[in-house]
Amino acid sequence: MITFVTNNERETFELGYKIGAKLKKGDVISLNGDLGAGKTHLTKGIAAGLGVDDYITSPTFTIVNEYMGRLPFYHFDVYRIDDIYEMYEIGFDEYLYGDGVCVVEWGDMVEELLPKDKIYIYIKKLDDSIREVQIKGLEGEV
Ligand SMILES: Nc1ncnc2c1ncn2[C@@H]1O[C@H](COP(=O)(O)OP(=O)(O)OP(=O)(O)O)[C@@H](O)[C@H]1O
Ligand SMILES: [Mg+2]
């Protein structure tokens, strides 16, 4: 596990960018942490690092937003699902085992559906603007 501390939103974005630049086809990121921890901000950086030019918004009500960068990029937010069958309905497996990269905000909520071989990120609020970002399963240095 590697741990980073970010002091503001921009540093979280930049960390995300470095992660995004390293991602490979088929990578799945389970992204966890309390409400307002910075999951979506980290995801914006990941998307930018993957070469996505679009403005990233949280897919809270749609479950998934799809983008195209150097690889297809699928951004999930599963916070509001009532049960995991909603994930079968949207064809979650096809995204997970497809040719893109998936980031799943609140991934722990659908843990049993995620591949064993995944990247796990946990963001902890240390202070108003300070975050600890723990990363497991990402190959190489960030
Ligand atoms: N170091 C930091 N990194 C990221 N965000 C920060 C940081 N410091 C303060 N913030 C603020 O914390 C909030 C993070 O919001 P964000 O939507 O990214 O969180 P989230 O984890 O996706 O929340 P949710 O669970 O509602 O989806 C923003 O208002 C942002 O400005
Ligand atoms: Mg969010």
Side-chain angles (χ1 to χ4, degrees):
M1 186 176 82
I2 31 177
T3 303
F4 296 87
V5 172
T6 67
N7 294 297
N8 52 52
E9 218 180 272
R10 181 183 51 80
E11 287 184 12
T12 297
F13 180 95
E14 285 170 1
L15 175 61
Y17 190 98
K18 289 182 196 159
I19 295 168
K22 292 178 56 63
L23 294 176
K24 303 184 304 289
K25 173 181 162 178
D27 280 343
V28 174
I29 298 181
S30 175
L31 180 52
N32 299 281
D34 289 342
L35 281 169
K39 299 180 293 299
T40 299
H41 277 82
L42 188 76
T43 303
K44 287 172 194 267
I46 292 172
L50 259 172
V52 174
D53 288 333
D54 299 304
Y55 185 72
I56 305 294
T57 55
S58 183
T60 305
F61 295 100
T62 50
I63 305 182
V64 60
N65 285 341
E66 308 188 15
Y67 304 93
M68 183 55 83
R70 116 182 115 73
L71 295 167
F73 178 59
Y74 307 116
H75 178 201
F76 295 84
D77 185 329
V78 301
Y79 185 68
R80 283 193 165 72
I81 63 165
D82 292 318
D83 66 68
I84 62 170
Y85 289 99
E86 288 183 40
M87 301 309 289
Y88 291 108
E89 279 165 24
I90 63 161
F92 196 33
D93 268 9
E94 278 153 55
Y95 291 101
L96 294 174
Y97 300 100
D99 54 4
V101 166
C102 294
V103 168
V104 187
E105 288 193 41
W106 298 97
D108 281 346
M109 290 179 62
V110 294
E111 220 260 308
E112 63 255 65
L113 302 182
L114 295 176
K116 278 228 166 57
D117 184 13
K118 59 181 170 284
I119 297 160
Y120 188 89
I121 301 181
Y122 185 80
I123 308 179
K124 195 153 109 190
K125 267 193 207 178
L126 296 185
D127 204 340
D128 272 353
S129 67
I130 304 177
R131 304 291 188 267
E132 184 182 88
V133 183
Q134 302 171 348
I135 306 175
K136 287 180 211 162
L138 183 68
E139 280 171 43
E141 280 175 35
V142 177

PDB file of all heavy atoms in Angstrom, residues 97-131:
ATOM      1  N   TYR A  97     -15.219  -6.060 -17.343  1.00  0.00           N
ATOM      2  CA  TYR A  97     -14.360  -6.976 -18.093  1.00  0.00           C
ATOM      3  C   TYR A  97     -14.265  -6.562 -19.556  1.00  0.00           C
ATOM      4  O   TYR A  97     -13.991  -7.364 -20.427  1.00  0.00           O
ATOM      5  CB  TYR A  97     -14.853  -8.418 -17.920  1.00  0.00           C
ATOM      6  CG  TYR A  97     -14.830  -8.831 -16.464  1.00  0.00           C
ATOM      7  CD1 TYR A  97     -16.009  -8.817 -15.694  1.00  0.00           C
ATOM      8  CD2 TYR A  97     -13.635  -9.173 -15.846  1.00  0.00           C
ATOM      9  CE1 TYR A  97     -15.981  -9.145 -14.341  1.00  0.00           C
ATOM     10  CE2 TYR A  97     -13.601  -9.509 -14.502  1.00  0.00           C
ATOM     11  CZ  TYR A  97     -14.782  -9.491 -13.759  1.00  0.00           C
ATOM     12  OH  TYR A  97     -14.742  -9.821 -12.425  1.00  0.00           O
ATOM     13  N   GLY A  98     -14.510  -5.300 -19.820  1.00  0.00           N
ATOM     14  CA  GLY A  98     -14.442  -4.780 -21.182  1.00  0.00           C
ATOM     15  C   GLY A  98     -13.059  -4.216 -21.499  1.00  0.00           C
ATOM     16  O   GLY A  98     -12.068  -4.553 -20.857  1.00  0.00           O
ATOM     17  N   ASP A  99     -13.006  -3.323 -22.453  1.00  0.00           N
ATOM     18  CA  ASP A  99     -11.691  -2.868 -22.916  1.00  0.00           C
ATOM     19  C   ASP A  99     -11.335  -1.473 -22.414  1.00  0.00           C
ATOM     20  O   ASP A  99     -10.475  -0.801 -22.966  1.00  0.00           O
ATOM     21  CB  ASP A  99     -11.627  -2.928 -24.449  1.00  0.00           C
ATOM     22  CG  ASP A  99     -12.777  -2.160 -25.063  1.00  0.00           C
ATOM     23  OD1 ASP A  99     -13.551  -1.532 -24.298  1.00  0.00           O
ATOM     24  OD2 ASP A  99     -12.907  -2.187 -26.298  1.00  0.00           O
ATOM     25  N   GLY A 100     -12.014  -1.057 -21.360  1.00  0.00           N
ATOM     26  CA  GLY A 100     -11.734   0.274 -20.824  1.00  0.00           C
ATOM     27  C   GLY A 100     -11.197   0.223 -19.418  1.00  0.00           C
ATOM     28  O   GLY A 100     -10.620  -0.770 -18.969  1.00  0.00           O
ATOM     29  N   VAL A 101     -11.403   1.325 -18.712  1.00  0.00           N
ATOM     30  CA  VAL A 101     -10.974   1.471 -17.329  1.00  0.00           C
ATOM     31  C   VAL A 101     -12.206   1.898 -16.530  1.00  0.00           C
ATOM     32  O   VAL A 101     -12.973   2.739 -16.991  1.00  0.00           O
ATOM     33  CB  VAL A 101      -9.884   2.571 -17.256  1.00  0.00           C
ATOM     34  CG1 VAL A 101      -9.650   3.002 -15.840  1.00  0.00           C
ATOM     35  CG2 VAL A 101      -8.588   2.082 -17.896  1.00  0.00           C
ATOM     36  N   CYS A 102     -12.398   1.287 -15.360  1.00  0.00           N
ATOM     37  CA  CYS A 102     -13.551   1.638 -14.519  1.00  0.00           C
ATOM     38  C   CYS A 102     -13.090   2.244 -13.203  1.00  0.00           C
ATOM     39  O   CYS A 102     -12.184   1.717 -12.550  1.00  0.00           O
ATOM     40  CB  CYS A 102     -14.369   0.388 -14.168  1.00  0.00           C
ATOM     41  SG  CYS A 102     -15.172  -0.389 -15.575  1.00  0.00           S
ATOM     42  N   VAL A 103     -13.739   3.331 -12.814  1.00  0.00           N
ATOM     43  CA  VAL A 103     -13.597   3.865 -11.455  1.00  0.00           C
ATOM     44  C   VAL A 103     -14.966   3.752 -10.810  1.00  0.00           C
ATOM     45  O   VAL A 103     -15.963   4.218 -11.376  1.00  0.00           O
ATOM     46  CB  VAL A 103     -13.132   5.334 -11.470  1.00  0.00           C
ATOM     47  CG1 VAL A 103     -13.283   5.961 -10.082  1.00  0.00           C
ATOM     48  CG2 VAL A 103     -11.680   5.425 -11.913  1.00  0.00           C
ATOM     49  N   VAL A 104     -15.018   3.112  -9.635  1.00  0.00           N
ATOM     50  CA  VAL A 104     -16.292   2.911  -8.958  1.00  0.00           C
ATOM     51  C   VAL A 104     -16.275   3.635  -7.625  1.00  0.00           C
ATOM     52  O   VAL A 104     -15.643   3.176  -6.656  1.00  0.00           O
ATOM     53  CB  VAL A 104     -16.585   1.403  -8.734  1.00  0.00           C
ATOM     54  CG1 VAL A 104     -18.000   1.215  -8.180  1.00  0.00           C
ATOM     55  CG2 VAL A 104     -16.385   0.605 -10.014  1.00  0.00           C
ATOM     56  N   GLU A 105     -16.947   4.805  -7.574  1.00  0.00           N
ATOM     57  CA  GLU A 105     -17.073   5.501  -6.282  1.00  0.00           C
ATOM     58  C   GLU A 105     -17.985   4.671  -5.382  1.00  0.00           C
ATOM     59  O   GLU A 105     -19.002   4.169  -5.821  1.00  0.00           O
ATOM     60  CB  GLU A 105     -17.674   6.906  -6.480  1.00  0.00           C
ATOM     61  CG  GLU A 105     -16.700   7.869  -7.122  1.00  0.00           C
ATOM     62  CD  GLU A 105     -17.152   9.336  -7.029  1.00  0.00           C
ATOM     63  OE1 GLU A 105     -17.666   9.768  -5.975  1.00  0.00           O
ATOM     64  OE2 GLU A 105     -16.971  10.048  -8.039  1.00  0.00           O
ATOM     65  N   TRP A 106     -17.621   4.533  -4.124  1.00  0.00           N
ATOM     66  CA  TRP A 106     -18.306   3.673  -3.155  1.00  0.00           C
ATOM     67  C   TRP A 106     -18.225   2.199  -3.566  1.00  0.00           C
ATOM     68  O   TRP A 106     -19.154   1.426  -3.345  1.00  0.00           O
ATOM     69  CB  TRP A 106     -19.777   4.083  -2.983  1.00  0.00           C
ATOM     70  CG  TRP A 106     -19.949   5.464  -2.460  1.00  0.00           C
ATOM     71  CD1 TRP A 106     -20.194   6.588  -3.190  1.00  0.00           C
ATOM     72  CD2 TRP A 106     -19.879   5.906  -1.083  1.00  0.00           C
ATOM     73  NE1 TRP A 106     -20.272   7.692  -2.360  1.00  0.00           N
ATOM     74  CE2 TRP A 106     -20.091   7.303  -1.078  1.00  0.00           C
ATOM     75  CE3 TRP A 106     -19.656   5.242   0.130  1.00  0.00           C
ATOM     76  CZ2 TRP A 106     -20.086   8.057   0.101  1.00  0.00           C
ATOM     77  CZ3 TRP A 106     -19.648   5.996   1.300  1.00  0.00           C
ATOM     78  CH2 TRP A 106     -19.866   7.389   1.269  1.00  0.00           C
ATOM     79  N   GLY A 107     -17.090   1.806  -4.137  1.00  0.00           N
ATOM     80  CA  GLY A 107     -16.905   0.435  -4.605  1.00  0.00           C
ATOM     81  C   GLY A 107     -17.193  -0.623  -3.540  1.00  0.00           C
ATOM     82  O   GLY A 107     -17.671  -1.712  -3.863  1.00  0.00           O
ATOM     83  N   ASP A 108     -16.937  -0.297  -2.271  1.00  0.00           N
ATOM     84  CA  ASP A 108     -17.193  -1.277  -1.201  1.00  0.00           C
ATOM     85  C   ASP A 108     -18.649  -1.746  -1.196  1.00  0.00           C
ATOM     86  O   ASP A 108     -18.941  -2.867  -0.794  1.00  0.00           O
ATOM     87  CB  ASP A 108     -16.874  -0.681   0.180  1.00  0.00           C
ATOM     88  CG  ASP A 108     -15.368  -0.686   0.471  1.00  0.00           C
ATOM     89  OD1 ASP A 108     -14.614  -1.371  -0.250  1.00  0.00           O
ATOM     90  OD2 ASP A 108     -14.954   0.008   1.428  1.00  0.00           O
ATOM     91  N   MET A 109     -19.561  -0.881  -1.662  1.00  0.00           N
ATOM     92  CA  MET A 109     -20.979  -1.248  -1.655  1.00  0.00           C
ATOM     93  C   MET A 109     -21.304  -2.361  -2.654  1.00  0.00           C
ATOM     94  O   MET A 109     -22.342  -3.005  -2.551  1.00  0.00           O
ATOM     95  CB  MET A 109     -21.848  -0.016  -1.952  1.00  0.00           C
ATOM     96  CG  MET A 109     -21.844   0.984  -0.803  1.00  0.00           C
ATOM     97  SD  MET A 109     -22.848   2.442  -1.171  1.00  0.00           S
ATOM     98  CE  MET A 109     -24.468   1.698  -1.361  1.00  0.00           C
ATOM     99  N   VAL A 110     -20.434  -2.569  -3.632  1.00  0.00           N
ATOM    100  CA  VAL A 110     -20.667  -3.627  -4.626  1.00  0.00           C
ATOM    101  C   VAL A 110     -19.457  -4.561  -4.669  1.00  0.00           C
ATOM    102  O   VAL A 110     -19.168  -5.176  -5.688  1.00  0.00           O
ATOM    103  CB  VAL A 110     -20.954  -3.038  -6.037  1.00  0.00           C
ATOM    104  CG1 VAL A 110     -22.264  -2.280  -6.041  1.00  0.00           C
ATOM    105  CG2 VAL A 110     -19.811  -2.129  -6.516  1.00  0.00           C
ATOM    106  N   GLU A 111     -18.811  -4.658  -3.510  1.00  0.00           N
ATOM    107  CA  GLU A 111     -17.558  -5.401  -3.399  1.00  0.00           C
ATOM    108  C   GLU A 111     -17.637  -6.785  -4.024  1.00  0.00           C
ATOM    109  O   GLU A 111     -16.732  -7.216  -4.733  1.00  0.00           O
ATOM    110  CB  GLU A 111     -17.221  -5.522  -1.909  1.00  0.00           C
ATOM    111  CG  GLU A 111     -15.766  -5.355  -1.581  1.00  0.00           C
ATOM    112  CD  GLU A 111     -15.089  -6.683  -1.375  1.00  0.00           C
ATOM    113  OE1 GLU A 111     -15.621  -7.467  -0.569  1.00  0.00           O
ATOM    114  OE2 GLU A 111     -14.052  -6.931  -2.029  1.00  0.00           O
ATOM    115  N   GLU A 112     -18.748  -7.494  -3.768  1.00  0.00           N
ATOM    116  CA  GLU A 112     -18.847  -8.880  -4.250  1.00  0.00           C
ATOM    117  C   GLU A 112     -18.903  -8.971  -5.776  1.00  0.00           C
ATOM    118  O   GLU A 112     -18.716 -10.037  -6.325  1.00  0.00           O
ATOM    119  CB  GLU A 112     -20.027  -9.610  -3.616  1.00  0.00           C
ATOM    120  CG  GLU A 112     -21.389  -9.028  -3.953  1.00  0.00           C
ATOM    121  CD  GLU A 112     -21.989  -8.243  -2.791  1.00  0.00           C
ATOM    122  OE1 GLU A 112     -21.399  -7.185  -2.413  1.00  0.00           O
ATOM    123  OE2 GLU A 112     -23.028  -8.662  -2.281  1.00  0.00           O
ATOM    124  N   LEU A 113     -19.174  -7.859  -6.435  1.00  0.00           N
ATOM    125  CA  LEU A 113     -19.245  -7.887  -7.901  1.00  0.00           C
ATOM    126  C   LEU A 113     -17.924  -7.505  -8.558  1.00  0.00           C
ATOM    127  O   LEU A 113     -17.741  -7.697  -9.757  1.00  0.00           O
ATOM    128  CB  LEU A 113     -20.325  -6.919  -8.399  1.00  0.00           C
ATOM    129  CG  LEU A 113     -21.749  -7.135  -7.887  1.00  0.00           C
ATOM    130  CD1 LEU A 113     -22.685  -6.107  -8.517  1.00  0.00           C
ATOM    131  CD2 LEU A 113     -22.223  -8.544  -8.205  1.00  0.00           C
ATOM    132  N   LEU A 114     -17.023  -6.957  -7.762  1.00  0.00           N
ATOM    133  CA  LEU A 114     -15.778  -6.444  -8.346  1.00  0.00           C
ATOM    134  C   LEU A 114     -14.743  -7.554  -8.511  1.00  0.00           C
ATOM    135  O   LEU A 114     -14.743  -8.519  -7.748  1.00  0.00           O
ATOM    136  CB  LEU A 114     -15.199  -5.340  -7.449  1.00  0.00           C
ATOM    137  CG  LEU A 114     -16.055  -4.077  -7.323  1.00  0.00           C
ATOM    138  CD1 LEU A 114     -15.411  -3.105  -6.331  1.00  0.00           C
ATOM    139  CD2 LEU A 114     -16.263  -3.412  -8.665  1.00  0.00           C
ATOM    140  N   PRO A 115     -13.881  -7.442  -9.501  1.00  0.00           N
ATOM    141  CA  PRO A 115     -12.828  -8.454  -9.659  1.00  0.00           C
ATOM    142  C   PRO A 115     -11.879  -8.440  -8.455  1.00  0.00           C
ATOM    143  O   PRO A 115     -11.682  -7.394  -7.830  1.00  0.00           O
ATOM    144  CB  PRO A 115     -12.095  -8.018 -10.927  1.00  0.00           C
ATOM    145  CG  PRO A 115     -12.491  -6.615 -11.193  1.00  0.00           C
ATOM    146  CD  PRO A 115     -13.790  -6.367 -10.518  1.00  0.00           C
ATOM    147  N   LYS A 116     -11.322  -9.597  -8.164  1.00  0.00           N
ATOM    148  CA  LYS A 116     -10.353  -9.690  -7.048  1.00  0.00           C
ATOM    149  C   LYS A 116      -9.140  -8.833  -7.349  1.00  0.00           C
ATOM    150  O   LYS A 116      -8.586  -8.173  -6.473  1.00  0.00           O
ATOM    151  CB  LYS A 116      -9.892 -11.147  -6.895  1.00  0.00           C
ATOM    152  CG  LYS A 116     -10.858 -11.997  -6.120  1.00  0.00           C
ATOM    153  CD  LYS A 116     -10.110 -12.803  -5.038  1.00  0.00           C
ATOM    154  CE  LYS A 116     -11.076 -13.402  -4.039  1.00  0.00           C
ATOM    155  NZ  LYS A 116     -12.095 -14.270  -4.716  1.00  0.00           N
ATOM    156  N   ASP A 117      -8.747  -8.879  -8.607  1.00  0.00           N
ATOM    157  CA  ASP A 117      -7.570  -8.142  -9.043  1.00  0.00           C
ATOM    158  C   ASP A 117      -8.003  -6.727  -9.420  1.00  0.00           C
ATOM    159  O   ASP A 117      -8.421  -6.467 -10.536  1.00  0.00           O
ATOM    160  CB  ASP A 117      -6.981  -8.868 -10.260  1.00  0.00           C
ATOM    161  CG  ASP A 117      -5.690  -8.212 -10.699  1.00  0.00           C
ATOM    162  OD1 ASP A 117      -5.144  -7.389  -9.935  1.00  0.00           O
ATOM    163  OD2 ASP A 117      -5.237  -8.512 -11.819  1.00  0.00           O
ATOM    164  N   LYS A 118      -7.920  -5.837  -8.444  1.00  0.00           N
ATOM    165  CA  LYS A 118      -8.351  -4.459  -8.687  1.00  0.00           C
ATOM    166  C   LYS A 118      -7.430  -3.495  -7.942  1.00  0.00           C
ATOM    167  O   LYS A 118      -6.616  -3.905  -7.121  1.00  0.00           O
ATOM    168  CB  LYS A 118      -9.790  -4.257  -8.213  1.00  0.00           C
ATOM    169  CG  LYS A 118      -9.968  -4.553  -6.738  1.00  0.00           C
ATOM    170  CD  LYS A 118     -11.406  -4.367  -6.306  1.00  0.00           C
ATOM    171  CE  LYS A 118     -11.614  -4.901  -4.910  1.00  0.00           C
ATOM    172  NZ  LYS A 118     -11.672  -6.376  -4.834  1.00  0.00           N
ATOM    173  N   ILE A 119      -7.589  -2.255  -8.239  1.00  0.00           N
ATOM    174  CA  ILE A 119      -6.869  -1.211  -7.516  1.00  0.00           C
ATOM    175  C   ILE A 119      -7.838  -0.679  -6.467  1.00  0.00           C
ATOM    176  O   ILE A 119      -9.011  -0.422  -6.765  1.00  0.00           O
ATOM    177  CB  ILE A 119      -6.436  -0.099  -8.499  1.00  0.00           C
ATOM    178  CG1 ILE A 119      -5.466  -0.682  -9.535  1.00  0.00           C
ATOM    179  CG2 ILE A 119      -5.809   1.077  -7.741  1.00  0.00           C
ATOM    180  CD1 ILE A 119      -5.339   0.147 -10.800  1.00  0.00           C
ATOM    181  N   TYR A 120      -7.360  -0.581  -5.238  1.00  0.00           N
ATOM    182  CA  TYR A 120      -8.237  -0.138  -4.153  1.00  0.00           C
ATOM    183  C   TYR A 120      -7.720   1.198  -3.621  1.00  0.00           C
ATOM    184  O   TYR A 120      -6.554   1.320  -3.253  1.00  0.00           O
ATOM    185  CB  TYR A 120      -8.252  -1.186  -3.035  1.00  0.00           C
ATOM    186  CG  TYR A 120      -9.281  -0.881  -1.978  1.00  0.00           C
ATOM    187  CD1 TYR A 120     -10.580  -1.351  -2.103  1.00  0.00           C
ATOM    188  CD2 TYR A 120      -8.953  -0.093  -0.883  1.00  0.00           C
ATOM    189  CE1 TYR A 120     -11.541  -1.052  -1.148  1.00  0.00           C
ATOM    190  CE2 TYR A 120      -9.911   0.221   0.077  1.00  0.00           C
ATOM    191  CZ  TYR A 120     -11.198  -0.271  -0.065  1.00  0.00           C
ATOM    192  OH  TYR A 120     -12.154   0.039   0.875  1.00  0.00           O
ATOM    193  N   ILE A 121      -8.609   2.183  -3.574  1.00  0.00           N
ATOM    194  CA  ILE A 121      -8.210   3.506  -3.068  1.00  0.00           C
ATOM    195  C   ILE A 121      -9.163   3.927  -1.952  1.00  0.00           C
ATOM    196  O   ILE A 121     -10.388   3.788  -2.071  1.00  0.00           O
ATOM    197  CB  ILE A 121      -8.217   4.571  -4.191  1.00  0.00           C
ATOM    198  CG1 ILE A 121      -7.256   4.164  -5.316  1.00  0.00           C
ATOM    199  CG2 ILE A 121      -7.835   5.948  -3.632  1.00  0.00           C
ATOM    200  CD1 ILE A 121      -7.164   5.157  -6.466  1.00  0.00           C
ATOM    201  N   TYR A 122      -8.565   4.395  -0.867  1.00  0.00           N
ATOM    202  CA  TYR A 122      -9.366   4.904   0.245  1.00  0.00           C
ATOM    203  C   TYR A 122      -8.909   6.329   0.563  1.00  0.00           C
ATOM    204  O   TYR A 122      -7.733   6.573   0.788  1.00  0.00           O
ATOM    205  CB  TYR A 122      -9.206   4.009   1.481  1.00  0.00           C
ATOM    206  CG  TYR A 122     -10.118   4.443   2.589  1.00  0.00           C
ATOM    207  CD1 TYR A 122     -11.463   4.074   2.566  1.00  0.00           C
ATOM    208  CD2 TYR A 122      -9.666   5.259   3.623  1.00  0.00           C
ATOM    209  CE1 TYR A 122     -12.335   4.508   3.567  1.00  0.00           C
ATOM    210  CE2 TYR A 122     -10.535   5.694   4.622  1.00  0.00           C
ATOM    211  CZ  TYR A 122     -11.863   5.309   4.586  1.00  0.00           C
ATOM    212  OH  TYR A 122     -12.721   5.742   5.553  1.00  0.00           O
ATOM    213  N   ILE A 123      -9.857   7.253   0.582  1.00  0.00           N
ATOM    214  CA  ILE A 123      -9.528   8.650   0.895  1.00  0.00           C
ATOM    215  C   ILE A 123     -10.092   8.993   2.270  1.00  0.00           C
ATOM    216  O   ILE A 123     -11.278   8.781   2.538  1.00  0.00           O
ATOM    217  CB  ILE A 123     -10.116   9.632  -0.142  1.00  0.00           C
ATOM    218  CG1 ILE A 123      -9.741   9.212  -1.567  1.00  0.00           C
ATOM    219  CG2 ILE A 123      -9.629  11.058   0.137  1.00  0.00           C
ATOM    220  CD1 ILE A 123     -10.307  10.130  -2.645  1.00  0.00           C
ATOM    221  N   LYS A 124      -9.214   9.496   3.110  1.00  0.00           N
ATOM    222  CA  LYS A 124      -9.619   9.847   4.476  1.00  0.00           C
ATOM    223  C   LYS A 124      -9.452  11.353   4.673  1.00  0.00           C
ATOM    224  O   LYS A 124      -8.415  11.922   4.321  1.00  0.00           O
ATOM    225  CB  LYS A 124      -8.682   9.106   5.433  1.00  0.00           C
ATOM    226  CG  LYS A 124      -9.139   9.056   6.843  1.00  0.00           C
ATOM    227  CD  LYS A 124      -8.563   7.805   7.493  1.00  0.00           C
ATOM    228  CE  LYS A 124      -7.475   8.141   8.489  1.00  0.00           C
ATOM    229  NZ  LYS A 124      -6.736   6.955   8.946  1.00  0.00           N
ATOM    230  N   LYS A 125     -10.482  11.989   5.224  1.00  0.00           N
ATOM    231  CA  LYS A 125     -10.403  13.420   5.548  1.00  0.00           C
ATOM    232  C   LYS A 125      -9.589  13.578   6.807  1.00  0.00           C
ATOM    233  O   LYS A 125      -9.960  13.069   7.863  1.00  0.00           O
ATOM    234  CB  LYS A 125     -11.806  13.945   5.880  1.00  0.00           C
ATOM    235  CG  LYS A 125     -12.572  14.530   4.748  1.00  0.00           C
ATOM    236  CD  LYS A 125     -13.782  15.286   5.334  1.00  0.00           C
ATOM    237  CE  LYS A 125     -14.908  15.338   4.338  1.00  0.00           C
ATOM    238  NZ  LYS A 125     -16.105  16.008   4.850  1.00  0.00           N
ATOM    239  N   LEU A 126      -8.474  14.288   6.721  1.00  0.00           N
ATOM    240  CA  LEU A 126      -7.688  14.533   7.930  1.00  0.00           C
ATOM    241  C   LEU A 126      -8.042  15.890   8.522  1.00  0.00           C
ATOM    242  O   LEU A 126      -7.941  16.105   9.727  1.00  0.00           O
ATOM    243  CB  LEU A 126      -6.191  14.484   7.618  1.00  0.00           C
ATOM    244  CG  LEU A 126      -5.622  13.150   7.139  1.00  0.00           C
ATOM    245  CD1 LEU A 126      -4.108  13.250   6.986  1.00  0.00           C
ATOM    246  CD2 LEU A 126      -5.970  12.011   8.092  1.00  0.00           C
ATOM    247  N   ASP A 127      -8.431  16.805   7.630  1.00  0.00           N
ATOM    248  CA  ASP A 127      -8.740  18.171   8.046  1.00  0.00           C
ATOM    249  C   ASP A 127      -9.592  18.782   6.944  1.00  0.00           C
ATOM    250  O   ASP A 127      -9.813  18.152   5.923  1.00  0.00           O
ATOM    251  CB  ASP A 127      -7.407  18.942   8.196  1.00  0.00           C
ATOM    252  CG  ASP A 127      -7.550  20.124   9.143  1.00  0.00           C
ATOM    253  OD1 ASP A 127      -8.694  20.565   9.361  1.00  0.00           O
ATOM    254  OD2 ASP A 127      -6.512  20.602   9.631  1.00  0.00           O
ATOM    255  N   ASP A 128     -10.014  20.029   7.119  1.00  0.00           N
ATOM    256  CA  ASP A 128     -10.846  20.687   6.108  1.00  0.00           C
ATOM    257  C   ASP A 128     -10.338  20.466   4.691  1.00  0.00           C
ATOM    258  O   ASP A 128     -11.101  20.128   3.799  1.00  0.00           O
ATOM    259  CB  ASP A 128     -10.907  22.203   6.367  1.00  0.00           C
ATOM    260  CG  ASP A 128     -12.037  22.532   7.327  1.00  0.00           C
ATOM    261  OD1 ASP A 128     -12.810  21.600   7.644  1.00  0.00           O
ATOM    262  OD2 ASP A 128     -12.130  23.691   7.754  1.00  0.00           O
ATOM    263  N   SER A 129      -9.047  20.668   4.510  1.00  0.00           N
ATOM    264  CA  SER A 129      -8.538  20.580   3.146  1.00  0.00           C
ATOM    265  C   SER A 129      -7.423  19.545   3.005  1.00  0.00           C
ATOM    266  O   SER A 129      -6.771  19.482   1.966  1.00  0.00           O
ATOM    267  CB  SER A 129      -8.032  21.956   2.693  1.00  0.00           C
ATOM    268  OG  SER A 129      -6.899  22.287   3.458  1.00  0.00           O
ATOM    269  N   ILE A 130      -7.209  18.745   4.020  1.00  0.00           N
ATOM    270  CA  ILE A 130      -6.135  17.750   3.955  1.00  0.00           C
ATOM    271  C   ILE A 130      -6.724  16.338   3.861  1.00  0.00           C
ATOM    272  O   ILE A 130      -7.633  15.982   4.617  1.00  0.00           O
ATOM    273  CB  ILE A 130      -5.200  17.877   5.175  1.00  0.00           C
ATOM    274  CG1 ILE A 130      -4.659  19.322   5.237  1.00  0.00           C
ATOM    275  CG2 ILE A 130      -4.039  16.888   5.092  1.00  0.00           C
ATOM    276  CD1 ILE A 130      -3.784  19.608   6.418  1.00  0.00           C
ATOM    277  N   ARG A 131      -6.218  15.585   2.906  1.00  0.00           N
ATOM    278  CA  ARG A 131      -6.722  14.234   2.681  1.00  0.00           C
ATOM    279  C   ARG A 131      -5.582  13.239   2.663  1.00  0.00           C
ATOM    280  O   ARG A 131      -4.526  13.513   2.098  1.00  0.00           O
ATOM    281  CB  ARG A 131      -7.435  14.141   1.322  1.00  0.00           C
ATOM    282  CG  ARG A 131      -8.561  15.130   1.120  1.00  0.00           C
ATOM    283  CD  ARG A 131      -9.742  14.801   2.013  1.00  0.00           C
ATOM    284  NE  ARG A 131     -10.903  15.607   1.703  1.00  0.00           N
ATOM    285  CZ  ARG A 131     -11.202  16.761   2.303  1.00  0.00           C
ATOM    286  NH1 ARG A 131     -10.402  17.244   3.240  1.00  0.00           N
ATOM    287  NH2 ARG A 131     -12.293  17.421   1.967  1.00  0.00           N
TER     288      ARG A 131
END
